[in-house]
Amino acid sequence: MAQNRTTQKGPQLLEGPVGGVNTRAASTKLPPGNFLVLRNCELVEDVGIVSVRRGTKQLTTSSLGTGAIFGGIRWYYGATPTAETLFVWLTTLYRLVGAATSPTSIGSVGGSAGERIFIPFVGPGGNEYVMIGTDVSAARRYEPLAPAVRTAGFPAPSAAPTAATGAAGVLTGAYLYKYSNVFDSVTEHESSVYSIPSNQVNPVAQQVGLTGVTVGPTGTTSRRIYRTKAIVTANPLYYFVGTIGDNVTTTFTDNVADASLSAVQAPTDNGIPPLAKHWAMMKGRMYALSIVGGVTRRGRLMFSAVASTERNPDGTVSVHGKGPEIFPSTYFIDIGDVNGVGTGLMVMGDTLVIFLGNEIHLLRDNGASDMNVWKAEGNVGCIAAGSIVDMGKA
């Protein structure tokens, strides 16, 4: 790989942690089950020549048995920064805190063995997480404060509720109901509602009771109930009516008049993170580069929503939330020609560099409906994501 070179006067200290975990046994002569945590280093006058590798430490996971390590990260979290190393051995996530050398198992990352990409991020609730992305299973999310790993994103309910009239109340008309799952006790961590509504119910000065509000998956802390106003259209809107404040109760009673309903509408497009081999975070937005299946082979760049008011890339409007784990269904751009397989992502300042096997594209994020993408000059691409290196200013 060609590299630009420059000359620097005197040694340079790279400030702060360098978030790398080297698992490449072929290039480093590491035995199976070993890896290097890469920390600070000093460079001599010719950039690229390491004179001191401060804090570089070889760690062993031989106690886990034979098998490969599939990616990792060294990062800091918390108000008083805590150093932590995360890595995946086979299909299990492990952590090392501070100077510890004995890894602790956190849980399964699912799927089969395969390379994982680790992307730290801050969610809408202000909590710090790590996205663990891959193309061999659903993306996972790691939470450090109460160490746990679960499927990333906010899965929607899997069944519609059943509605029935009840005691005397304020509701008169024809009504339909839907509900969503809320995760982590954070309102912004809300799923889409289930696509199919309840049966139609027709109270006359009555309350309405719901049953069959299903318990949500791991991480669900409450369910939000949405309802139409008295139906006068074929495709009515659904408005927030109330909350089931736990993940145990499966019933709800509604006695809220139409005029008292919240203006908040039911989210219908809070999609979960996709299967993707390459991941990056820029300006609060999570990006995932995958391959479109079938006859067409090109890079599909999918991305999360940073605002609930953003227009979709196709100019349409959908009801969705915001945050690195919410990927609305139309938030994607197909990059390159039909022969360009996506091979990597890198953030350089305010530009996302998108590597394909035969092309390189650049993206400036001006909002989901105004992504400025252009092709770099020359017929050059990238066939190996591991060869992508930011060389800094030449």
Side-chain angles (χ1 to χ4, degrees):
M1 179 179 68
Q3 298 180 350
N4 294 322
R5 297 180 62 82
T6 187
T7 299
Q8 155 187 313
K9 301 302 182 182
Q12 177 186 11
L13 176 65
L14 301 183
E15 298 293 346
V18 176
V21 171
N22 188 350
T23 65
R24 305 294 182 179
S27 60
T28 60
K29 306 302 182 185
L30 291 175
N34 284 245
F35 60 94
L36 288 176
V37 176
L38 306 180
R39 298 179 182 169
N40 294 340
C41 55
E42 282 187 359
L43 305 181
V44 296
E45 290 189 356
D46 288 330
V47 172
I49 299 177
V50 178
S51 64
V52 179
R53 307 197 81 177
R54 291 189 173 183
T56 301
K57 180 190 295 185
Q58 182 170 328
L59 300 173
T60 178
T61 60
S62 58
S63 61
L64 302 175
T66 59
I69 294 172
F70 291 103
I73 190 173
R74 175 82 168 181
W75 75 309
Y76 284 66
Y77 68 88
T80 303
T82 298
E84 181 180 64
T85 299
L86 298 173
F87 65 93
V88 171
W89 176 76
L90 297 180
T91 59
T92 301
L93 178 68
Y94 287 83
R95 73 192 291 245
L96 288 162
V97 179
T101 57
S102 297
T104 301
S105 172
I106 301 302
S108 172
V109 293
S112 57
E115 196 73 18
R116 264 73 178 181
I117 303 298
F118 292 69
I119 306 290
F121 70 94
V122 178
N127 293 328
E128 296 173 278
Y129 305 103
V130 176
M131 182 78 79
I132 305 173
T134 180
D135 62 349
V136 297
S137 68
R140 294 305 199 267
R141 190 197 74 181
Y142 168 72
E143 180 176 0
L145 296 181
V149 61
R150 67 165 176 81
T151 301
F154 315 116
S158 57
T162 298
T165 55
V170 300
L171 297 176
T172 296
Y175 296 94
L176 297 170
Y177 290 81
K178 293 184 175 183
Y179 66 99
S180 66
N181 296 323
V182 176
F183 295 75
D184 312 311
S185 300
V186 177
T187 302
E188 293 91 340
H189 290 187
E190 183 178 11
S191 74
S192 295
V193 291
Y194 185 55
S195 59
I196 299 174
S198 69
N199 57 295
Q200 181 176 308
V201 65
N202 301 284
V204 178
Q206 291 174 289
Q207 301 178 33
V208 172
L210 297 183
T211 58
V213 180
T214 58
V215 171
T218 300
T220 304
T221 51
S222 62
R223 275 75 45 80
R224 285 166 65 89
I225 309 298
Y226 295 86
R227 188 197 82 206
T228 62
K229 295 182 179 181
I231 298 173
V232 294
T233 63
N235 297 298
L237 299 175
Y238 290 76
Y239 298 93
F240 176 67
V241 65
T243 298
I244 298 176
D246 57 45
N247 194 32
V248 177
T249 305
T250 59
T251 60
F252 180 84
T253 300
D254 175 22
N255 192 34
V256 179
D258 285 2
S260 299
L261 283 177
S262 166
V264 176
Q265 294 183 28
T268 58
D269 203 13
N270 283 356
I272 62 176
L275 271 69
K277 193 169 186 177
H278 310 291
W279 296 74
M281 184 84 171
M282 184 176 75
K283 297 171 66 175
R285 196 187 302 275
M286 189 75 70
Y287 292 87
L289 181 63
S290 187
I291 298 171
V292 180
V295 177
T296 303
R297 301 284 288 179
R298 66 195 306 185
R300 171 161 287 186
L301 183 69
M302 296 161 283
F303 43 92
S304 65
V306 297
S308 59
T309 55
E310 282 189 307
R311 281 189 170 272
N312 300 344
D314 61 3
T316 61
V317 176
S318 62
V319 182
H320 60 75
K322 64 178 181 179
E325 296 181 76
I326 293 179
F327 282 70
S329 59
T330 61
Y331 273 45
F332 68 86
I333 302 171
D334 286 332
I335 306 293
D337 63 29
V338 296
N339 297 311
V341 177
T343 55
L345 295 174
M346 174 169 281
V347 176
M348 298 184 67
D350 61 353
T351 301
L352 181 68
V353 185
I354 307 158
F355 295 89
L356 281 71
N358 59 348
E359 298 175 351
I360 296 175
H361 293 253
L362 298 100
L363 178 146
R364 291 282 178 85
D365 183 347
N366 302 311
S369 63
D370 187 20
M371 293 287 186
N372 184 12
V373 182
W374 70 98
K375 182 178 178 294
E377 295 183 4
N379 296 318
V380 62
C382 174
I383 61 173
S387 69
I388 300 172
V389 178
D390 183 356
M391 297 296 295
K393 294 181 179 181

